[in-house]
């Protein structure tokens, strides 16, 4: 009996003390040989080529939603307000569309070939641990904007609720941490909807985007036709303060450059979506219809909305929501507002929810999967009280603007490494190995050459963006940052070695999760 007791008691104590460690050990034992549990889980793993579900239509619907976002309409209408005429606005958007089409294909091909998400892709250039720099910058920008965009959508929902049920108006008075009771109801309701969608993974996001895309296109076209008819089937083609000569072309090229900067987040982590793409052809086809073709349609709608309103009363609207607010029929107003909500949720999911979710999964792969990381991202987006951030110009311009200014240099390093230095050769299994002799271990898991290329490029990009004396170049800060970082990286890697090209099929998982 004594010997039995002596045996059992220490065993129980050991179990109590090391329960968490035992879970980690079990997780490690389930890993393919040679991979680190600090770098690999099923959400960070490469996707198997067989069974990938993202088609050209899936890619197209991403852009069908995002291009027609309210923020983009505000940007395009702003070009009209600056003095660009209809064809000049379309030219600016066309310049941006051509550049984006090329950049997104380069980024998308990386994801389709390797099957890996952006945080893992960053390990190629920055190292297995240095990649946290890129992932957290991208994720930090996104999680703040997730909260802000959810708040902006809740404002639309609040107006819709009062229009449909005027008795709710008393709930829109007062303030609790900056929001009225009705404001909290609208915000939390939209917050929950997005959390539920993302909790089902990338496949559910694909389905939602496919559902939302046609609704958005039909709604925006209907608004344009309605405004065109309201203006007597003709529009003002400019505001009367037309730009010309060099000033006109500077604004056209600057507008195109800013259009690329707006998508600076997407060109970085487009691989989060294309890792499940069936082929390169599906990426090119989806991007072609979703970027240059869809953007021209978007530009035409923006010009019609702005030109029609200007002809009617000489006023320049700020976004389609202004048009929706003027719809006299309550039912049609409610339907249009609901479509704008569907749009805003679609944009928020793809632009601002996926990136921080993968960034957090990459940071804590033993603790977080895609679903848990999505919940953590959403909670952060809630507790930062994003409406207060949105109403604080210092935060928007300097903090979020500063983080956004780093996206160009990050893109330059990652693209130069993959396409110019390695020529597309990647040893995918080594991206999950902590072996000191591993291809991406560098110096303690960080590539000093990538950091050395990034820092001066980031300094230049931020200086151009924020120093008033350099204001004429501010539209092009993303390109300066990306270009300088790319050149720096190539120069620092003049004496390049040989690179293995090993796919990740042996450690891959099904693409739907």
């Amino acid at each position: 009996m004594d010997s039995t007791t002596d045996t059992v008691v220490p065993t129980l104590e050991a179990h109590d003390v090391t329960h968490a460690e035992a879970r980690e050990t079990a997780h490690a034992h389930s890993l393919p040989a040679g991979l680190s549990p600090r770098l690999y889980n099923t959400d960070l793993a490469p996707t198997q080529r067989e069974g990938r579900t993202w088609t050209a239509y899936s890619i197209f619907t991403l852009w069908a939603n995002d291009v027609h976002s309210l923020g983009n309409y505000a940007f395009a209408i702003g070009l009209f307000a600056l003095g660009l005429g209809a064809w000049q606005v379309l030219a600016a958007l066309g310049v941006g569309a051509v550049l984006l089409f090329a950049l997104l294909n380069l980024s998308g091909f990386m994801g389709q070939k390797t099957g890996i998400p952006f945080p893992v892709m960053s390990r190629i250039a920055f190292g297995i641990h240095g990649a946290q720099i890129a992932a957290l910058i991208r994720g930090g920008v996104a999680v703040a904007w997730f909260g802000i965009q959810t708040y902006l959508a809740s404002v639309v929902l609040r107006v819709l609720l009062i229009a449909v049920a005027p008795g709710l108006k008393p709930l829109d008075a007062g303030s609790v941490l900056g929001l009225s009771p009705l404001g909290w109801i609208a915000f939390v309701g939209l917050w929950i909807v997005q959390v539920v969608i993302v909790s089902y993974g990338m496949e559910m996001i694909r389905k939602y985007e496919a559902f939302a895309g046609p609704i958005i296109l039909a709604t925006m076209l209907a608004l344009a036709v309605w405004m065109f008819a309201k203006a007597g089937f003709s529009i003002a083609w400019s505001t009367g303060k037309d730009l010309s000569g060099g000033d006109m072309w500077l604004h056209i090229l600057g507008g195109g450059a800013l259009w690329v900067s707006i998508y600076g987040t997407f060109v970085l982590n487009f691989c989060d979506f294309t890792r499940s793409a069936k082929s390169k052809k599906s990426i090119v086809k989806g991007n072609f219809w979703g970027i240059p073709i869809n953007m021209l349609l978007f530009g035409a709608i923006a010009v019609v909305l702005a030109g029609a309103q200007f002809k009617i009363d000489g006023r320049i609207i700020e976004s389609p929501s202004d048009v929706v607010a003027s719809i006299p029929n309550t039912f049609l107003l409610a339907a249009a507002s609901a479509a704008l909500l569907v749009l805003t949720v679609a944009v928020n999911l793809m632009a601002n929810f996926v990136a921080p979710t993968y960034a957090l999964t990459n940071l804590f792969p033993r603790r977080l999967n895609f679903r848990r990381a999505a919940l953590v991202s959403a909670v952060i987006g809630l507790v930062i009280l994003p409406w207060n951030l949105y109403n604080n110009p210092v935060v928007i311009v300097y903090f979020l603007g500063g983080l956004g200014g780093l996206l160009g240099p990050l893109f330059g390093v990652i693209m130069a490494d993959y396409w110019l230095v390695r020529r597309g050769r990647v040893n995918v299994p080594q991206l999950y190995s902590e072996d000191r002799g591993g291809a991406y271990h560098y110096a303690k898991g960080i590539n000093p050459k990538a950091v050395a290329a990034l820092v001066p490029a980031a300094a230049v990009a931020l200086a151009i963006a924020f120093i008033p004396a350099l204001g004429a170049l501010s539209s092009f800060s993303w390109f300066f940052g990306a270009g300088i970082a790319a050149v720096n990286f190539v120069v620092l890697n003049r004496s390049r070695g040989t690179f293995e090209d090993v796919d990740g099929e042996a450690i891959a998982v099904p693409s739907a999760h």
Side-chain angles (χ1 to χ4, degrees):
M1 291 291 292
D2 290 341
S3 62
T4 303
T5 302
D6 290 341
T7 301
V8 172
V9 172
T11 302
L12 288 173
E13 289 174 351
H15 176 77
D16 291 338
V17 171
T18 65
H19 183 64
E21 294 177 5
R23 284 202 311 270
E24 289 184 23
T25 302
H27 173 62
H29 288 165
S30 68
L31 293 177
L35 305 191
S36 168
R38 295 206 301 167
L39 300 173
Y40 180 98
N41 67 18
T42 55
D43 293 297
L44 297 174
T47 55
Q48 293 174 355
R49 291 189 174 279
E50 186 68 28
R52 291 185 180 181
T53 54
W54 286 66
T55 62
Y57 179 74
S58 305
I59 302 296
F60 164 74
T61 54
L62 286 181
W63 308 127
N65 290 301
D66 192 75
V67 167
H68 292 270
S69 72
L70 298 182
N72 285 351
Y73 273 105
F75 170 76
I77 292 169
L79 295 178
F80 185 80
L82 284 174
L84 293 182
W87 78 264
Q88 295 155 344
V89 171
L90 292 177
L93 297 179
V95 168
V98 170
L99 292 170
L100 273 176
F101 178 68
L103 294 174
L104 285 166
N105 283 336
L106 288 176
S107 181
F109 291 166
M110 294 164 64
Q112 192 276 332
K113 178 185 176 181
T114 60
I116 57 180
F118 173 68
V120 179
M121 189 73 72
S122 303
R123 296 174 189 173
I124 302 170
F126 285 92
I128 54 173
H129 299 314
Q132 301 291 5
I133 300 170
L136 289 176
I137 289 173
R138 173 65 183 97
V141 173
V143 75
W145 280 111
F146 161 74
I148 290 170
Q149 291 290 349
T150 301
Y151 160 66
L152 294 176
S154 74
V155 173
V156 176
L157 178 56
R158 203 171 70 209
V159 171
L160 171 61
L161 290 173
I162 292 174
V164 174
L168 294 175
K169 192 164 186 178
L171 289 176
D172 204 28
S175 175
V176 180
L177 297 176
L179 278 187
S180 68
L182 185 61
W184 273 103
I185 292 169
F187 181 89
V188 173
L190 288 172
W191 184 88
I192 291 172
V193 167
Q194 293 173 95
V195 170
V196 170
I197 293 171
V198 173
S199 71
Y200 285 95
M202 290 295 289
E203 181 64 9
M204 182 58 75
I205 292 175
R206 180 186 71 81
K207 291 178 179 178
Y208 182 84
E209 300 292 334
F211 153 77
I215 292 176
I216 301 314
L217 289 174
T219 300
M220 292 305 178
L221 281 171
L223 281 178
V225 170
W226 180 67
M227 283 295 292
F228 189 56
K230 189 178 177 183
F233 297 98
S234 65
I235 64 171
W237 293 98
S238 69
T239 60
K241 49 180 182 181
D242 302 349
L243 299 174
S244 61
D247 196 29
M248 176 192 73
W249 286 108
L250 181 62
H251 278 77
I252 288 175
L253 296 176
L258 283 173
W259 196 234
V260 174
S261 298
I262 289 171
Y263 283 86
T265 53
F266 261 122
V267 294
L268 259 183
N269 74 302
F270 191 35
C271 57
D272 286 341
F273 304 92
T274 59
R275 64 191 295 240
S276 293
K278 288 177 175 289
S279 64
K280 285 184 178 180
K281 184 179 178 181
S282 64
I283 295 172
V284 173
K285 189 175 179 181
N287 281 342
F288 175 75
W289 288 101
I291 298 297
I293 302 302
N294 183 40
M295 280 186 177
L296 287 176
L297 173 63
F298 157 82
I301 292 173
V303 165
V304 169
L305 292 178
Q309 187 66 60
F310 191 79
K311 183 191 174 186
I312 291 169
D313 58 11
R315 182 170 62 93
I316 298 176
I317 60 172
E318 292 184 2
S319 82
S321 57
D322 292 344
V323 175
V324 170
S326 68
I327 296 176
N329 183 289
T330 301
F331 173 77
L332 294 178
L333 184 148
S337 297
L340 293 186
L341 288 174
V342 169
L343 164 64
T344 305
V345 168
V347 172
N348 220 14
L349 290 175
M350 61 185 289
N352 300 318
F353 216 157
V354 171
T357 297
Y358 274 127
L360 286 169
T361 305
N362 186 58
L363 196 60
F364 305 106
R366 289 180 290 190
R367 296 280 186 264
L368 298 177
N369 57 19
F370 192 90
R371 177 175 291 187
R372 292 173 191 157
L375 182 58
V376 173
S377 298
V379 169
I380 295 172
L382 170 63
V383 300
I384 62 175
L385 304 180
W387 45 91
N388 292 329
L389 295 183
Y390 182 71
N391 293 322
N392 187 333
V394 173
V395 172
I396 293 294
V397 173
Y398 290 102
F399 177 65
L400 292 179
L403 283 178
L406 301 178
L407 299 180
L410 284 173
F411 181 81
V413 169
I414 291 170
M415 293 295 141
D417 177 63
Y418 184 90
W419 290 108
L420 301 179
V421 175
R422 298 177 183 278
R423 306 296 173 88
R425 293 188 289 272
V426 179
N427 187 331
V428 174
Q430 287 283 299
L431 292 168
Y432 303 92
S433 171
E434 290 191 277
D435 183 355
R436 291 189 178 185
Y440 310 104
H441 192 272
Y442 300 112
K444 297 182 179 179
I446 300 174
N447 184 0
K449 291 182 179 180
V451 176
L454 176 73
V455 172
V460 171
L462 293 176
I464 292 172
F466 294 127
I467 295 177
L470 300 175
L473 300 175
S474 61
S475 298
F476 306 95
S477 63
W478 188 93
F479 288 92
F480 277 104
I484 293 170
V487 171
N488 287 348
F489 191 85
V490 171
V491 169
L492 289 170
N493 288 274
R494 287 190 305 271
S495 56
R496 63 192 72 166
T498 57
F499 303 103
E500 286 188 299
D501 194 26
V502 182
D503 69 34
E505 281 297 303
I507 60 170
V509 298
S511 62
H513 57 79

